[in-house]
Amino acid sequence: MLRLRWVFVLVTCVPLAATAQPDALLPVPLSATWADSGTFLVTPDTPLLVPDGNPEALRIAGLLAILLGFSEATQPRAMEARTYARTTWPNPLPAIVYVDTAPDSLGAEGYVLTIDPGRITLAANAPAGWFYASQTLRQLLPPAVEYDAAFPVPLAVPAGRVVDRPRFEWRGVMLDVARHFFGPGDVRRVLDLMALHKLNRLHLHLSDDQGWRIAIPGWPRLTDVGGSTEVGGGPGGFFSLEDYAALVQYAAERSITIVPEIDLPGHTNAALASYAELNCDGVAPPLYTGTSVGFSTVCVEREATYRFVEDVVRTLAETTPGDFFHIGGDEVRELSPEQYATFMARAQAIVARHGKRVIGWDEIAEVDLIPRSIVQVWRPAVAETQAQIRDAVEAGATVILSPADRIYLDIKYDASTVLGLTWAGLNSVRDAYDWDPTALLPGVPIAAIEGIEAPLWSETIATRADLEFMAFPRLAGIADLAWSPAEAHDWDAYRQRLGAQAPRWTALGVNFYRSPDVPWVSTPSRD
């Protein structure tokens, strides 16, 4: 009955004023100007026109068309411009038009979005730019478009112009599916919410002491045994290669690159329990469902270990078209520095041989790194670590910023938060936003910063609702830091924009934390 009431109120023949706030775009664009008056009205008859012979533009326009209609019969039609011209000349309707030229300075991810009463133009140099322009247009639509039934017709978009490009190339989230398993549906949900906020890297932590989550041909016990449990002794789970390939494709359709991580040589108890030959004593340990770290390592002296690493890296490299492979490298307490360096040298060579760039947690800065390696910084306050990272950057490495005390999404918001950990302190919504990425590592040039990534470890996170509660609203702040120009970062302005997201997130069913530091815009009652 609730949905029927919404439909009765909103599906009318009277133009609905835009209820989205243009000044509440998140992330905030490079520049935006708005007309004093005027709107573009989207109806089921509004065509979405793309450059001739460009299937990617047609696909991206098709995704927008799905959003712009509440059923297949009411979705605007996406088509090539020449097809439309043949059928409507000389009286074309107001249209949404994709254009394949934009200023070179905007790069592959930038765009120009121009909204006039008679035409919306999305101009970009590459498909990613069109996709992000579409997401900005989405945020300018009334939040009710996110409901399946409560759909306003026509849709009013305020007139204006947005010129935009990202600050950092790497705008990421890490999801730990090893400690608690999150299946394909959960991952697709994460990808959808990432896309809305222009995030473009999903780092999947696929293995740890508590679980192995990806099928590897020739090593069936990794999933049969290593994938059979999780923290607390739950049922675990894993991705088949078909599952994984489908997620890679789904992500790519939303301009997101999946980055696989197999944590080595430590955090490996699930693999050790699966195959005795990966242990120096030849004895498989029992499965582990606790949360302590640092006690496990593959046997770095055994050639079986490197056959295992070779097969795992090859399988994921063949299934993941992105340029990256994350080899972990963190919290290895059972090896000598020499053993660790020997293993990392061989592991890096295997990754490079399969055409991927090496990424590792900041401990990898302790060893010699191959060219174009990426150091993921999670311990920025440690002086010795900072010195090692500077040395690695001077030798040609770059960095991803993931400071635990700022953007680890599994850290509690405050002392009353039921979920989450406190080892890195507490991490309020303001803490996650109000910091300067370029000041995190003194002596490291801005050009060496790939970008920002917010990890969500899953020791205490077991359900999709848990995941969303810990990620939102902090993840929106990470998106703003990673995309928006530095001069736009201001807590007082940001908290107002953040509060304006509540109606859209509510419509999307996001289980977000309503921080008392944010003036949340009220949403319609469900009573």
Side-chain angles (χ1 to χ4, degrees), residues 357-420:
R357 290 180 68 183
V358 170
I359 309 176
W361 300 104
D362 59 42
E363 287 92 333
I364 70 167
E366 299 169 11
V367 304
D368 292 334
L369 298 177
I370 63 176
R372 303 181 67 240
S373 295
I374 303 175
V375 179
Q376 186 162 4
V377 182
W378 67 282
R379 305 175 301 166
V382 180
E384 181 181 1
T385 300
Q386 288 191 350
Q388 292 168 338
I389 293 168
R390 285 194 295 270
D391 291 343
V393 168
E394 290 179 3
T398 55
V399 298
I400 299 167
L401 304 180
S402 299
D405 58 345
R406 288 290 188 174
I407 60 172
Y408 266 35
L409 300 177
D410 54 297
I411 298 299
K412 291 176 180 282
Y413 289 100
D414 57 34
S416 68
T417 308
V418 175
L419 300 173

Short mmCIF file of all heavy atoms in Angstrom, two decimals, residues 357-420:
data_model
loop_
_atom_site.label_atom_id
_atom_site.label_comp_id
_atom_site.label_asym_id
_atom_site.label_seq_id
_atom_site.Cartn_x
_atom_site.Cartn_y
_atom_site.Cartn_z
N ARG A 357 51.22 -5.07 -12.66
CA ARG A 357 51.99 -4.24 -11.74
C ARG A 357 51.82 -4.78 -10.33
O ARG A 357 50.73 -5.14 -9.90
CB ARG A 357 51.51 -2.79 -11.78
CG ARG A 357 51.84 -2.05 -13.05
CD ARG A 357 51.34 -0.62 -13.01
NE ARG A 357 52.06 0.19 -12.02
CZ ARG A 357 51.77 1.46 -11.74
NH1 ARG A 357 50.75 2.06 -12.37
NH2 ARG A 357 52.45 2.14 -10.85
N VAL A 358 52.91 -4.82 -9.59
CA VAL A 358 52.90 -5.32 -8.22
C VAL A 358 52.37 -4.24 -7.28
O VAL A 358 52.81 -3.09 -7.31
CB VAL A 358 54.31 -5.74 -7.78
CG1 VAL A 358 54.35 -6.02 -6.28
CG2 VAL A 358 54.78 -6.95 -8.56
N ILE A 359 51.43 -4.63 -6.42
CA ILE A 359 50.99 -3.80 -5.31
C ILE A 359 51.19 -4.61 -4.03
O ILE A 359 50.99 -5.83 -4.01
CB ILE A 359 49.51 -3.41 -5.41
CG1 ILE A 359 49.19 -2.80 -6.78
CG2 ILE A 359 49.12 -2.43 -4.30
CD1 ILE A 359 47.71 -2.48 -6.97
N GLY A 360 51.57 -3.95 -2.95
CA GLY A 360 51.67 -4.60 -1.66
C GLY A 360 51.47 -3.59 -0.55
O GLY A 360 51.61 -2.38 -0.75
N TRP A 361 51.13 -4.10 0.63
CA TRP A 361 51.03 -3.22 1.80
C TRP A 361 52.41 -2.64 2.12
O TRP A 361 53.42 -3.13 1.62
CB TRP A 361 50.46 -4.00 2.98
CG TRP A 361 49.09 -4.54 2.70
CD1 TRP A 361 48.75 -5.83 2.41
CD2 TRP A 361 47.87 -3.79 2.63
NE1 TRP A 361 47.40 -5.95 2.17
CE2 TRP A 361 46.83 -4.70 2.30
CE3 TRP A 361 47.55 -2.45 2.82
CZ2 TRP A 361 45.50 -4.31 2.16
CZ3 TRP A 361 46.21 -2.05 2.67
CH2 TRP A 361 45.22 -2.97 2.36
N ASP A 362 52.45 -1.61 2.94
CA ASP A 362 53.68 -0.81 3.01
C ASP A 362 54.90 -1.57 3.51
O ASP A 362 56.04 -1.11 3.35
CB ASP A 362 53.46 0.48 3.79
CG ASP A 362 53.00 0.29 5.22
OD1 ASP A 362 53.53 -0.60 5.92
OD2 ASP A 362 52.13 1.06 5.66
N GLU A 363 54.72 -2.77 4.08
CA GLU A 363 55.89 -3.57 4.46
C GLU A 363 56.76 -3.92 3.26
O GLU A 363 57.97 -4.18 3.44
CB GLU A 363 55.43 -4.86 5.17
CG GLU A 363 54.91 -4.66 6.58
CD GLU A 363 53.42 -4.44 6.65
OE1 GLU A 363 52.83 -3.94 5.66
OE2 GLU A 363 52.82 -4.77 7.69
N ILE A 364 56.20 -3.93 2.04
CA ILE A 364 57.03 -4.30 0.89
C ILE A 364 58.09 -3.25 0.59
O ILE A 364 59.04 -3.52 -0.14
CB ILE A 364 56.19 -4.57 -0.37
CG1 ILE A 364 55.56 -3.30 -0.93
CG2 ILE A 364 55.16 -5.65 -0.12
CD1 ILE A 364 54.98 -3.46 -2.33
N ALA A 365 57.95 -2.06 1.18
CA ALA A 365 58.99 -1.04 1.01
C ALA A 365 60.29 -1.42 1.70
O ALA A 365 61.32 -0.79 1.49
CB ALA A 365 58.49 0.31 1.52
N GLU A 366 60.25 -2.48 2.52
CA GLU A 366 61.46 -2.95 3.20
C GLU A 366 62.39 -3.71 2.26
O GLU A 366 63.55 -3.96 2.61
CB GLU A 366 61.07 -3.86 4.37
CG GLU A 366 60.22 -3.17 5.43
CD GLU A 366 59.63 -4.16 6.43
OE1 GLU A 366 60.06 -5.34 6.41
OE2 GLU A 366 58.75 -3.75 7.22
N VAL A 367 61.90 -4.11 1.09
CA VAL A 367 62.70 -4.91 0.16
C VAL A 367 62.88 -4.15 -1.14
O VAL A 367 62.22 -3.13 -1.40
CB VAL A 367 62.05 -6.28 -0.09
CG1 VAL A 367 61.81 -7.01 1.21
CG2 VAL A 367 60.74 -6.14 -0.86
N ASP A 368 63.76 -4.64 -2.00
CA ASP A 368 63.92 -4.05 -3.32
C ASP A 368 62.67 -4.33 -4.15
O ASP A 368 62.22 -5.48 -4.24
CB ASP A 368 65.15 -4.64 -4.01
CG ASP A 368 66.45 -4.22 -3.34
OD1 ASP A 368 66.48 -3.16 -2.70
OD2 ASP A 368 67.45 -4.98 -3.45
N LEU A 369 62.15 -3.28 -4.78
CA LEU A 369 60.94 -3.41 -5.57
C LEU A 369 61.25 -3.28 -7.05
O LEU A 369 62.14 -2.53 -7.44
CB LEU A 369 59.92 -2.34 -5.17
CG LEU A 369 59.43 -2.39 -3.72
CD1 LEU A 369 58.49 -1.23 -3.43
CD2 LEU A 369 58.74 -3.72 -3.42
N ILE A 370 60.51 -4.02 -7.85
CA ILE A 370 60.70 -3.92 -9.30
C ILE A 370 60.08 -2.61 -9.79
O ILE A 370 59.27 -1.99 -9.10
CB ILE A 370 60.10 -5.14 -10.03
CG1 ILE A 370 58.58 -5.21 -9.82
CG2 ILE A 370 60.75 -6.42 -9.56
CD1 ILE A 370 57.92 -6.33 -10.58
N PRO A 371 60.45 -2.15 -10.98
CA PRO A 371 59.93 -0.88 -11.49
C PRO A 371 58.40 -0.83 -11.51
O PRO A 371 57.74 -1.83 -11.79
CB PRO A 371 60.52 -0.80 -12.90
CG PRO A 371 61.77 -1.61 -12.83
CD PRO A 371 61.45 -2.74 -11.89
N ARG A 372 57.86 0.34 -11.21
CA ARG A 372 56.44 0.66 -11.26
C ARG A 372 55.62 -0.08 -10.20
O ARG A 372 54.41 -0.21 -10.32
CB ARG A 372 55.85 0.40 -12.66
CG ARG A 372 56.55 1.15 -13.77
CD ARG A 372 55.93 0.88 -15.13
NE ARG A 372 54.58 1.41 -15.23
CZ ARG A 372 53.50 0.68 -15.48
NH1 ARG A 372 53.62 -0.64 -15.65
NH2 ARG A 372 52.31 1.23 -15.59
N SER A 373 56.28 -0.53 -9.15
CA SER A 373 55.54 -1.13 -8.04
C SER A 373 54.74 -0.06 -7.31
O SER A 373 55.05 1.14 -7.37
CB SER A 373 56.51 -1.81 -7.06
OG SER A 373 57.17 -2.89 -7.68
N ILE A 374 53.71 -0.50 -6.59
CA ILE A 374 52.86 0.42 -5.84
C ILE A 374 52.84 -0.03 -4.38
O ILE A 374 52.56 -1.19 -4.08
CB ILE A 374 51.42 0.44 -6.40
CG1 ILE A 374 51.43 0.82 -7.88
CG2 ILE A 374 50.55 1.41 -5.60
CD1 ILE A 374 50.06 0.74 -8.54
N VAL A 375 53.12 0.91 -3.49
CA VAL A 375 53.13 0.65 -2.05
C VAL A 375 51.83 1.19 -1.46
O VAL A 375 51.54 2.38 -1.58
CB VAL A 375 54.34 1.33 -1.38
CG1 VAL A 375 54.32 1.08 0.12
CG2 VAL A 375 55.65 0.84 -2.00
N GLN A 376 51.06 0.31 -0.84
CA GLN A 376 49.80 0.75 -0.21
C GLN A 376 50.07 1.07 1.25
O GLN A 376 50.34 0.19 2.06
CB GLN A 376 48.71 -0.32 -0.35
CG GLN A 376 47.37 0.17 0.17
CD GLN A 376 46.20 -0.65 -0.34
OE1 GLN A 376 46.37 -1.66 -1.03
NE2 GLN A 376 44.99 -0.23 0.00
N VAL A 377 49.97 2.34 1.59
CA VAL A 377 50.42 2.84 2.89
C VAL A 377 49.28 2.76 3.89
O VAL A 377 48.25 3.41 3.74
CB VAL A 377 50.91 4.29 2.77
CG1 VAL A 377 51.41 4.80 4.12
CG2 VAL A 377 52.01 4.40 1.71
N TRP A 378 49.48 1.95 4.93
CA TRP A 378 48.47 1.84 5.98
C TRP A 378 49.00 2.25 7.35
O TRP A 378 48.22 2.44 8.29
CB TRP A 378 47.88 0.43 6.03
CG TRP A 378 48.83 -0.66 6.49
CD1 TRP A 378 49.79 -1.27 5.75
CD2 TRP A 378 48.84 -1.30 7.77
NE1 TRP A 378 50.43 -2.24 6.49
CE2 TRP A 378 49.86 -2.27 7.74
CE3 TRP A 378 48.10 -1.13 8.94
CZ2 TRP A 378 50.16 -3.08 8.84
CZ3 TRP A 378 48.40 -1.94 10.04
CH2 TRP A 378 49.41 -2.90 9.99
N ARG A 379 50.32 2.44 7.48
CA ARG A 379 50.94 2.81 8.76
C ARG A 379 51.73 4.12 8.61
O ARG A 379 52.95 4.14 8.83
CB ARG A 379 51.89 1.72 9.22
CG ARG A 379 51.29 0.33 9.34
CD ARG A 379 52.35 -0.69 9.69
NE ARG A 379 53.42 -0.73 8.68
CZ ARG A 379 54.60 -1.32 8.84
NH1 ARG A 379 54.88 -1.91 9.98
NH2 ARG A 379 55.50 -1.31 7.87
N PRO A 380 51.09 5.22 8.26
CA PRO A 380 51.86 6.43 7.92
C PRO A 380 52.56 7.08 9.09
O PRO A 380 53.50 7.87 8.89
CB PRO A 380 50.77 7.36 7.36
CG PRO A 380 49.52 6.91 8.04
CD PRO A 380 49.65 5.43 8.15
N ALA A 381 52.15 6.78 10.33
CA ALA A 381 52.74 7.46 11.47
C ALA A 381 54.07 6.86 11.92
O ALA A 381 54.75 7.41 12.78
CB ALA A 381 51.75 7.46 12.64
N VAL A 382 54.45 5.73 11.34
CA VAL A 382 55.70 5.07 11.75
C VAL A 382 56.87 5.69 10.99
O VAL A 382 56.94 5.60 9.76
CB VAL A 382 55.62 3.55 11.47
CG1 VAL A 382 56.91 2.86 11.88
CG2 VAL A 382 54.41 2.95 12.19
N ALA A 383 57.77 6.33 11.73
CA ALA A 383 58.86 7.08 11.10
C ALA A 383 59.73 6.19 10.22
O ALA A 383 60.10 6.58 9.10
CB ALA A 383 59.71 7.76 12.17
N GLU A 384 60.06 4.99 10.69
CA GLU A 384 60.90 4.09 9.89
C GLU A 384 60.19 3.71 8.59
O GLU A 384 60.80 3.66 7.52
CB GLU A 384 61.23 2.84 10.69
CG GLU A 384 62.13 1.87 9.94
CD GLU A 384 62.42 0.61 10.74
OE1 GLU A 384 61.91 0.48 11.87
OE2 GLU A 384 63.16 -0.25 10.23
N THR A 385 58.88 3.47 8.69
CA THR A 385 58.10 3.14 7.50
C THR A 385 58.11 4.28 6.51
O THR A 385 58.27 4.08 5.29
CB THR A 385 56.65 2.79 7.89
OG1 THR A 385 56.66 1.68 8.78
CG2 THR A 385 55.83 2.46 6.67
N GLN A 386 57.94 5.51 6.99
CA GLN A 386 57.94 6.67 6.11
C GLN A 386 59.26 6.79 5.36
O GLN A 386 59.29 7.09 4.16
CB GLN A 386 57.66 7.94 6.90
CG GLN A 386 56.24 8.06 7.38
CD GLN A 386 55.93 9.45 7.92
OE1 GLN A 386 56.82 10.27 8.10
NE2 GLN A 386 54.66 9.71 8.18
N ALA A 387 60.36 6.54 6.06
CA ALA A 387 61.67 6.63 5.40
C ALA A 387 61.81 5.56 4.32
O ALA A 387 62.32 5.83 3.22
CB ALA A 387 62.78 6.47 6.45
N GLN A 388 61.35 4.36 4.61
CA GLN A 388 61.41 3.29 3.60
C GLN A 388 60.54 3.61 2.39
O GLN A 388 60.92 3.34 1.25
CB GLN A 388 60.99 1.97 4.24
CG GLN A 388 61.97 1.44 5.28
CD GLN A 388 61.39 0.30 6.10
OE1 GLN A 388 60.18 0.14 6.20
NE2 GLN A 388 62.27 -0.50 6.69
N ILE A 389 59.38 4.20 2.64
CA ILE A 389 58.49 4.56 1.53
C ILE A 389 59.12 5.65 0.67
O ILE A 389 59.07 5.59 -0.56
CB ILE A 389 57.12 5.00 2.08
CG1 ILE A 389 56.41 3.81 2.72
CG2 ILE A 389 56.26 5.61 0.97
CD1 ILE A 389 55.20 4.19 3.54
N ARG A 390 59.75 6.64 1.30
CA ARG A 390 60.43 7.69 0.52
C ARG A 390 61.53 7.09 -0.34
O ARG A 390 61.70 7.47 -1.51
CB ARG A 390 61.00 8.75 1.46
CG ARG A 390 59.95 9.69 2.04
CD ARG A 390 60.59 10.91 2.69
NE ARG A 390 61.38 10.54 3.85
CZ ARG A 390 60.91 10.47 5.09
NH1 ARG A 390 59.62 10.74 5.32
NH2 ARG A 390 61.69 10.16 6.10
N ASP A 391 62.27 6.14 0.22
CA ASP A 391 63.33 5.49 -0.56
C ASP A 391 62.74 4.72 -1.74
O ASP A 391 63.28 4.75 -2.86
CB ASP A 391 64.12 4.52 0.33
CG ASP A 391 64.98 5.25 1.37
OD1 ASP A 391 65.21 6.47 1.20
OD2 ASP A 391 65.39 4.59 2.34
N ALA A 392 61.61 4.04 -1.51
CA ALA A 392 60.97 3.28 -2.59
C ALA A 392 60.48 4.22 -3.68
O ALA A 392 60.60 3.92 -4.88
CB ALA A 392 59.80 2.46 -2.03
N VAL A 393 59.93 5.36 -3.30
CA VAL A 393 59.45 6.33 -4.28
C VAL A 393 60.61 6.90 -5.08
O VAL A 393 60.53 7.06 -6.31
CB VAL A 393 58.64 7.45 -3.58
CG1 VAL A 393 58.39 8.61 -4.53
CG2 VAL A 393 57.32 6.89 -3.05
N GLU A 394 61.71 7.19 -4.42
CA GLU A 394 62.89 7.69 -5.13
C GLU A 394 63.40 6.67 -6.13
O GLU A 394 63.99 7.03 -7.17
CB GLU A 394 63.99 8.05 -4.13
CG GLU A 394 63.68 9.30 -3.30
CD GLU A 394 64.78 9.61 -2.29
OE1 GLU A 394 65.80 8.87 -2.29
OE2 GLU A 394 64.61 10.57 -1.51
N ALA A 395 63.16 5.39 -5.86
CA ALA A 395 63.60 4.32 -6.76
C ALA A 395 62.57 4.02 -7.85
O ALA A 395 62.80 3.14 -8.68
CB ALA A 395 63.89 3.05 -5.96
N GLY A 396 61.42 4.74 -7.84
CA GLY A 396 60.45 4.59 -8.92
C GLY A 396 59.09 4.06 -8.54
O GLY A 396 58.22 3.93 -9.40
N ALA A 397 58.87 3.74 -7.26
CA ALA A 397 57.57 3.26 -6.83
C ALA A 397 56.59 4.43 -6.67
O ALA A 397 56.99 5.60 -6.57
CB ALA A 397 57.68 2.50 -5.51
N THR A 398 55.30 4.11 -6.64
CA THR A 398 54.27 5.08 -6.32
C THR A 398 53.49 4.55 -5.11
O THR A 398 53.72 3.43 -4.65
CB THR A 398 53.32 5.33 -7.49
OG1 THR A 398 52.78 4.07 -7.94
CG2 THR A 398 54.06 6.00 -8.65
N VAL A 399 52.56 5.37 -4.58
CA VAL A 399 51.87 4.99 -3.36
C VAL A 399 50.36 5.14 -3.51
O VAL A 399 49.86 5.99 -4.24
CB VAL A 399 52.35 5.80 -2.14
CG1 VAL A 399 53.82 5.56 -1.87
CG2 VAL A 399 52.07 7.30 -2.32
N ILE A 400 49.63 4.28 -2.79
CA ILE A 400 48.21 4.42 -2.54
C ILE A 400 48.06 4.75 -1.06
O ILE A 400 48.69 4.10 -0.21
CB ILE A 400 47.44 3.13 -2.86
CG1 ILE A 400 47.57 2.77 -4.34
CG2 ILE A 400 45.96 3.26 -2.49
CD1 ILE A 400 47.09 1.35 -4.64
N LEU A 401 47.24 5.73 -0.72
CA LEU A 401 47.09 6.16 0.66
C LEU A 401 45.88 5.48 1.30
O LEU A 401 44.75 5.65 0.84
CB LEU A 401 46.92 7.67 0.72
CG LEU A 401 48.04 8.49 0.07
CD1 LEU A 401 47.75 9.98 0.19
CD2 LEU A 401 49.39 8.14 0.66
N SER A 402 46.14 4.70 2.36
CA SER A 402 45.08 4.02 3.12
C SER A 402 45.37 4.12 4.61
O SER A 402 45.44 3.10 5.30
CB SER A 402 44.97 2.55 2.70
OG SER A 402 44.65 2.41 1.34
N PRO A 403 45.54 5.33 5.16
CA PRO A 403 45.92 5.44 6.56
C PRO A 403 44.86 4.87 7.49
O PRO A 403 43.69 5.25 7.46
CB PRO A 403 46.07 6.96 6.75
CG PRO A 403 45.23 7.58 5.68
CD PRO A 403 45.34 6.64 4.52
N ALA A 404 45.27 3.91 8.32
CA ALA A 404 44.31 3.19 9.15
C ALA A 404 43.56 4.10 10.10
O ALA A 404 42.37 3.87 10.38
CB ALA A 404 45.04 2.09 9.93
N ASP A 405 44.23 5.11 10.62
CA ASP A 405 43.57 5.97 11.60
C ASP A 405 42.62 6.97 10.96
O ASP A 405 41.95 7.73 11.67
CB ASP A 405 44.61 6.72 12.44
CG ASP A 405 45.56 7.57 11.61
OD1 ASP A 405 45.62 7.38 10.37
OD2 ASP A 405 46.25 8.44 12.19
N ARG A 406 42.53 6.98 9.62
CA ARG A 406 41.64 7.90 8.93
C ARG A 406 40.56 7.20 8.10
O ARG A 406 39.40 7.59 8.17
CB ARG A 406 42.46 8.82 7.99
CG ARG A 406 43.28 9.86 8.72
CD ARG A 406 42.39 10.91 9.36
NE ARG A 406 43.16 12.02 9.90
CZ ARG A 406 42.62 13.12 10.42
NH1 ARG A 406 41.32 13.26 10.46
NH2 ARG A 406 43.39 14.08 10.90
N ILE A 407 40.96 6.20 7.34
CA ILE A 407 39.98 5.68 6.39
C ILE A 407 39.83 4.16 6.42
O ILE A 407 39.29 3.58 5.48
CB ILE A 407 40.28 6.16 4.95
CG1 ILE A 407 41.66 5.70 4.48
CG2 ILE A 407 40.13 7.65 4.85
CD1 ILE A 407 41.88 6.00 3.00
N TYR A 408 40.24 3.50 7.49
CA TYR A 408 39.85 2.11 7.65
C TYR A 408 38.37 2.09 8.04
O TYR A 408 37.99 2.55 9.12
CB TYR A 408 40.70 1.42 8.72
CG TYR A 408 41.91 0.68 8.19
CD1 TYR A 408 42.61 1.16 7.08
CD2 TYR A 408 42.34 -0.49 8.79
CE1 TYR A 408 43.71 0.48 6.60
CE2 TYR A 408 43.45 -1.18 8.32
CZ TYR A 408 44.13 -0.68 7.22
OH TYR A 408 45.22 -1.36 6.75
N LEU A 409 37.54 1.54 7.18
CA LEU A 409 36.10 1.60 7.38
C LEU A 409 35.61 0.61 8.43
O LEU A 409 34.43 0.66 8.82
CB LEU A 409 35.38 1.35 6.05
CG LEU A 409 35.69 2.34 4.94
CD1 LEU A 409 34.97 1.93 3.66
CD2 LEU A 409 35.31 3.76 5.33
N ASP A 410 36.49 -0.27 8.91
CA ASP A 410 36.10 -1.20 9.96
C ASP A 410 36.37 -0.65 11.36
O ASP A 410 36.06 -1.32 12.35
CB ASP A 410 36.85 -2.53 9.79
CG ASP A 410 38.35 -2.32 9.73
OD1 ASP A 410 38.81 -1.65 8.79
OD2 ASP A 410 39.07 -2.82 10.62
N ILE A 411 36.91 0.54 11.46
CA ILE A 411 37.14 1.18 12.75
C ILE A 411 35.83 1.82 13.22
O ILE A 411 35.10 2.42 12.44
CB ILE A 411 38.27 2.22 12.65
CG1 ILE A 411 39.59 1.53 12.24
CG2 ILE A 411 38.44 2.97 13.95
CD1 ILE A 411 40.08 0.49 13.21
N LYS A 412 35.55 1.72 14.51
CA LYS A 412 34.31 2.26 15.06
C LYS A 412 34.20 3.77 14.82
O LYS A 412 35.18 4.49 14.86
CB LYS A 412 34.24 2.00 16.57
CG LYS A 412 34.05 0.54 16.97
CD LYS A 412 34.09 0.41 18.48
CE LYS A 412 33.92 -1.03 18.95
NZ LYS A 412 32.52 -1.45 18.90
N TYR A 413 32.95 4.23 14.62
CA TYR A 413 32.71 5.67 14.51
C TYR A 413 32.98 6.37 15.85
O TYR A 413 33.58 7.44 15.90
CB TYR A 413 31.25 5.94 14.13
CG TYR A 413 30.89 5.58 12.71
CD1 TYR A 413 30.24 4.38 12.43
CD2 TYR A 413 31.15 6.45 11.67
CE1 TYR A 413 29.86 4.06 11.12
CE2 TYR A 413 30.78 6.13 10.37
CZ TYR A 413 30.14 4.93 10.09
OH TYR A 413 29.79 4.63 8.81
N ASP A 414 32.49 5.78 16.92
CA ASP A 414 32.69 6.31 18.26
C ASP A 414 32.60 5.14 19.23
O ASP A 414 32.41 3.99 18.83
CB ASP A 414 31.66 7.41 18.60
CG ASP A 414 30.22 6.95 18.48
OD1 ASP A 414 29.93 5.77 18.77
OD2 ASP A 414 29.37 7.78 18.10
N ALA A 415 32.74 5.43 20.52
CA ALA A 415 32.80 4.36 21.51
C ALA A 415 31.51 3.56 21.60
O ALA A 415 31.51 2.42 22.07
CB ALA A 415 33.15 4.95 22.87
N SER A 416 30.38 4.13 21.15
CA SER A 416 29.10 3.43 21.26
C SER A 416 28.80 2.54 20.06
O SER A 416 27.83 1.78 20.08
CB SER A 416 27.97 4.45 21.42
OG SER A 416 27.79 5.21 20.23
N THR A 417 29.62 2.60 19.00
CA THR A 417 29.37 1.80 17.80
C THR A 417 29.53 0.31 18.13
O THR A 417 30.54 -0.10 18.67
CB THR A 417 30.35 2.18 16.68
OG1 THR A 417 30.32 3.59 16.47
CG2 THR A 417 29.97 1.48 15.38
N VAL A 418 28.52 -0.47 17.80
CA VAL A 418 28.56 -1.90 18.13
C VAL A 418 29.56 -2.64 17.25
O VAL A 418 30.37 -3.43 17.74
CB VAL A 418 27.16 -2.52 17.99
CG1 VAL A 418 27.21 -4.03 18.21
CG2 VAL A 418 26.19 -1.87 18.98
N LEU A 419 29.52 -2.39 15.95
CA LEU A 419 30.42 -3.05 15.02
C LEU A 419 31.78 -2.35 15.02
O LEU A 419 31.90 -1.19 15.40
CB LEU A 419 29.84 -3.03 13.61
CG LEU A 419 28.49 -3.71 13.42
CD1 LEU A 419 27.97 -3.46 12.00
CD2 LEU A 419 28.60 -5.20 13.69
N GLY A 420 32.78 -3.07 14.53
CA GLY A 420 34.07 -2.44 14.29
C GLY A 420 35.09 -2.66 15.39
O GLY A 420 34.81 -3.25 16.43
#
